[in-house]
Amino acid sequence: MTGEQARAAIAERYPAATVDASALERRSLGEGGPVTVTVPVDSWVEFAHFAKTTLGCRFFSFLSAVDWKDEGLEVVVKVDNVDTGLSLLMKTRLGPGVSACPSLTMLYRGADWMERECYDMFGIRFDGHPDLRRILLGDDWVGHPLLKSYAVDTPHPPYR
């Protein structure tokens, strides 16, 4: 599936989704880069299922987040169709004060540890995750270091 075919399928099925046209133009010129799609959080799992089954993006590349301060947190996922070379960058905004997002572990096994890391670093609670607990920091760690509200001078125990 090409980027243009993916864009048409996304626009037809998800009119509320926003597709970054500049990324599509770069891809059509042979410069590569993923098709970037922003979907509402209530369509997150449904869109991921669509990406996997319809667009063929079965390879889960990564998951992370961005703290936009007053605008809230944004979850970012990259999935790929290794057969056609289509890359899809999925984004969803959680909104101000919201730190819960549906888990994608039931669709992509690769999401498991990456959602745990995102929980550990950003404090995003992935609803439906089978084992959501800290993965990088100790259980006694207070706070989430990649939040922009996290104090840089927070004392922490020495490495063990």
Side-chain angles (χ1 to χ4, degrees), residues 26-111:
R26 286 192 309 270
R27 184 155 178 80
S28 68
L29 294 172
E31 297 177 21
V35 175
T36 303
V37 182
T38 304
V39 297
V41 72
D42 58 342
S43 301
W44 184 241
V45 173
E46 180 187 344
F47 185 80
H49 183 267
F50 170 79
K52 185 175 184 179
T53 59
T54 305
L55 302 181
C57 296
R58 294 184 304 271
F59 180 75
F60 191 91
S61 185
F62 74 81
L63 178 143
S64 191
V66 179
D67 182 357
W68 292 106
K69 291 187 176 183
D70 296 336
E71 297 173 30
L73 296 166
E74 180 178 58
V75 178
V76 181
V77 169
K78 184 173 180 277
V79 292
D80 301 298
N81 181 330
V82 294
D83 297 327
T84 65
L86 174 68
S87 292
L88 187 65
L89 194 65
M90 303 180 345
K91 299 179 178 186
T92 189
R93 283 278 174 107
L94 303 183
V98 178
S99 61
C101 181
S103 175
L104 297 180
T105 55
M106 73 295 254
L107 292 170
Y108 294 102
R109 288 176 43 192

Side-chain angles (χ1 to χ4, degrees), residues 119-140:
Y119 164 70
D120 204 2
M121 296 288 108
F122 289 94
I124 298 173
R125 182 159 292 283
F126 289 91
D127 297 334
H129 191 283
D131 186 23
L132 193 62
R133 59 190 164 101
R134 289 195 181 268
I135 192 169
L136 298 173
L137 303 173
D139 291 332
D140 58 342

